Amino acid sequence: MKLLNNHVANSVFAAIVLVLIVIVGLDVLSAIIDQLGDLGGNYRFSDALLYVMLTLPGRVYEYIPFAALVGCLIGLGTLASQSELIIMRAAGVSTLRVIWMVMKPALVLMVAGLLLSEFVAPPAEQMADRKRAIAQHGQAAISSRHGLWNREGNEYMHFNVVDSPEKLRGITLFRFDESKRLDQFMYVHDAEYADGAWQFSNIDITYVDENTTRKARLDTLEWQADLTPSLLSQLVVNPDNLSMSGLWSFATYLDGQGLSAGEYRLSFWSKLLQPLGTASLVLIAISFIFGPLREVTMGYRIFVGVIVGIAFRTSQDMLGPSSLVFGFEPIYAVALPIMICAMVGGFLIWRGN
């Protein structure tokens, strides 16, 4: 039985890895072509290659569910075409046993994907964005075309330039009183985080009274805020490029400030439930091989796998933003396609027996 387990697991694992290599390879080639349009100045072809290579772990993680679906269809389909599945069933191997044989290599990829998404992809993506920004704009890595906004309590902040999470330049801070009336605003030329607080330098302050305004200038000022360099580094990064721990901590910070954290919670649940999504797609693949795709050609199996994978991804991409627009919990948007795939797969397997 051990030999049989290894044979099925190796066949499926090899097919999944092969599909993953092909899909990621095509995506990397497309990304390199896209980067060619941004070449110029200090951003050379070698910088573009480095950027794409640093984003490679995130690309691998993104395509694991799709590769698991198509790879299982190919691996199990090959066994079915060679009548090996029929022989296994005739020898008394149950369907549940076959499912476990197939799930084991998929579980290895699920664990690898979680490790990539938590420890490898986020810092690599952030380094890639930072290096590209420095190459394109110099040492002043501009966070966005129009700067970066953040709110904390009654204070609204705009950062022109984020040199690093500990160093900011061009900060405009608007402070409102309890009646939502503008109380003061200041422009800070430079800020650096040290000793648990932001140290402002070269500050122009304007105090707003009922009928007049007063101006003042300070050389230095200490600013106490909940916005730490760690949270700031998460604020300037796309939520899809953050780790699950980073997403949860920043969503908690936004909740504490009364701001919407839906986008970050959606990314959190998408990453947390991705292994279940992969498992449900593998179950769909198994059900197809035991059911409607047992006798078809390999090309047709790949075609069906691609269609199912696209439908699964599209449903999540549509339900995710819908949760932000209509206000229902993001976990439902992520979990619903997974539950549907699992139920369809379970039903087809039950019907096939």
Side-chain angles (χ1 to χ4, degrees):
M1 186 60 71
K2 182 178 180 181
L3 185 62
L4 185 61
N5 282 331
N6 291 338
H7 175 61
V8 174
N10 291 338
S11 299
V12 173
F13 185 78
I16 294 175
V17 171
L18 178 62
V19 172
L20 187 60
I21 291 173
V22 171
I23 296 174
V24 173
L26 292 174
D27 189 51
V28 166
L29 181 61
S30 175
I32 292 174
I33 294 174
D34 286 342
Q35 290 301 308
L36 295 180
D38 296 330
L39 297 181
N42 293 325
Y43 190 60
R44 300 180 296 272
F45 182 70
S46 59
D47 298 311
L49 283 179
L50 177 61
Y51 172 80
V52 174
M53 290 302 103
L54 286 173
T55 60
L56 185 60
R59 300 176 191 276
V60 172
Y61 166 76
E62 180 182 357
Y63 287 111
I64 283 178
F66 188 84
L69 169 65
V70 179
C72 284
L73 284 174
I74 294 175
L76 277 181
T78 302
L79 296 177
S81 300
Q82 297 172 353
S83 301
E84 294 183 56
L85 285 181
I86 297 175
I87 295 173
M88 279 188 265
R89 297 295 301 277
V93 179
S94 66
T95 303
L96 289 178
R97 184 71 180 178
V98 175
I99 293 174
W100 175 238
M101 291 178 184
V102 177
M103 280 293 180
K104 283 194 292 186
L107 284 173
V108 173
L109 287 174
M110 293 178 207
V111 173
L114 278 178
L115 294 176
L116 279 176
S117 69
E118 188 67 16
F119 301 108
V120 181
E125 295 269 3
Q126 294 172 30
M127 183 183 297
D129 290 338
R130 187 173 297 124
K131 285 183 176 294
R132 183 175 65 170
I134 290 174
Q136 291 177 334
H137 304 290
Q139 289 299 318
I142 300 176
S143 60
S144 72
R145 181 180 177 184
H146 303 291
L148 185 69
W149 281 95
N150 185 54
R151 195 200 88 183
E152 190 167 302
N154 290 331
E155 294 181 337
Y156 293 78
M157 296 146 277
H158 180 268
F159 313 110
N160 282 340
V161 176
V162 180
D163 281 333
S164 71
E166 294 83 15
K167 292 183 179 181
L168 307 172
R169 284 192 284 138
I171 306 163
T172 306
L173 191 149
F174 303 88
R175 182 174 296 164
F176 294 80
D177 59 22
E178 295 302 325
S179 61
K180 308 301 181 183
R181 186 182 64 85
L182 182 63
D183 182 54
Q184 64 175 259
F185 62 90
M186 68 176 71
Y187 179 79
V188 182
H189 289 263
D190 301 283
E192 185 171 354
Y193 193 82
D195 300 326
W198 291 97
Q199 309 298 327
F200 288 169
S201 58
N202 299 324
I203 310 114
D204 294 311
I205 305 179
T206 301
Y207 298 96
V208 181
D209 297 327
E210 287 265 345
N211 301 312
T212 61
T213 61
R214 294 178 293 109
K215 292 187 176 181
R217 182 173 179 84
L218 299 175
D219 292 329
T220 60
L221 177 68
E222 183 176 281
W223 181 52
Q224 295 287 345
D226 294 332
L227 186 66
T228 62
S230 175
L231 291 172
L232 180 63
S233 65
Q234 295 161 18
L235 179 63
V236 300
V237 176
N238 189 299
D240 292 335
N241 297 338
L242 291 174
S243 65
M244 285 187 289
S245 57
L247 287 166
W248 186 260
S249 64
F250 194 69
T252 303
Y253 165 75
L254 292 177
D255 287 338
Q257 302 302 323
L259 301 174
S260 173
E263 187 177 2
Y264 292 88
R265 296 203 183 278
L266 177 61
S267 294
F268 171 80
W269 289 116
S270 296
K271 292 192 174 188
L272 183 63
L273 297 182
Q274 198 217 50
L276 293 180
T278 304
S280 68
L281 291 175
V282 170
L283 195 63
I284 283 282
I286 296 172
S287 70
F288 282 175
I289 295 300
F290 280 108
L293 301 186
R294 182 182 299 179
E295 303 296 337
V296 301
T297 63
M298 184 65 70
Y300 189 77
R301 291 192 187 104
I302 296 175
F303 172 76
V304 172
V306 170
I307 294 300
V308 172
I310 291 175
F312 178 82
R313 182 62 181 269
T314 302
S315 63
Q316 283 195 324
D317 289 344
M318 291 178 63
L319 287 171
S322 297
S323 69
L324 303 180
V325 173
F326 296 106
F328 59 91
E329 287 296 325
I331 186 175
Y332 301 138
V334 178
L336 183 59
I338 296 174
M339 293 174 60
I340 292 175
C341 281
M343 288 189 294
V344 170
F347 173 75
L348 290 177
I349 291 175
W350 172 78
R351 186 180 178 183
N353 285 333

